Amino acid sequence: YLRGLREVCDRYGLLLIFDEVQVGMGRTGRLFAYEHYGVVPDIMTLAKGLAGGVAIGAMLARESVAKSFTPGTHASTFGGNPLATSAGIAVMETILNEGVLANCRKMGDYLMDELRSLQRRYTFVKDVRGKGLIVAMELGIQGGEIVRRCLEEGLLINCVGERILRFLPPLTVTEDEIREMIGILDGVLSGRLP
């Protein structure tokens, strides 16, 4: 699909823009999610993980696109102020130099395996999917009550679209922390926990 979009954009002189606000900065096990697909965008947006919780936003562009910008043609509320930029540099150095991407891939695989083991045990779990540490579990039942019960047990997860549990642990999550999470989730799914 993405290769097809790239071809259409190239054929008609259109810009291909990827929003990597949630999936960029290592979340999928690669620095940027587009790297999984061999398709390079013309413009990419980043935020959230870029500065480790400090408000920041960024737009990256190919040189051929970036040269059309002159001072003052693009502004950002959370752009390159000194605090946000320093935080962004520290995050980038940490991700690239401290094994964060490798941990994300390894722990992402472990999390998917553990969630798939729950899928085999509970018929209402319809699918488990994701990349790195952005993972979803699709249910055949409503997920809101599961989220509420997990929160009561100290596990913060999200439910989107009423039936999809979403897991976004920190990129530095450990195997022990994932095991603890799976234990809580298993207890809630089985009805063993309140």
Side-chain angles (χ1 to χ4, degrees), residues 8-20:
V8 168
C9 288
D10 290 344
R11 184 178 318 130
Y12 295 104
L14 304 170
L15 295 177
L16 181 60
I17 303 171
F18 287 172
D19 175 354
E20 294 235 4

Side-chain angles (χ1 to χ4, degrees), residues 25-27 31 49-52 85-105 170-173:
M25 302 310 297
R27 175 59 57 188
L31 188 57
L50 180 59
T85 303
S86 295
I89 290 168
V91 165
M92 186 67 78
E93 289 173 347
T94 300
I95 288 173
L96 295 177
N97 300 325
E98 296 186 20
V100 173
L101 294 175
N103 187 70
C104 183
R105 288 188 295 271
L171 303 185
T172 56
V173 69

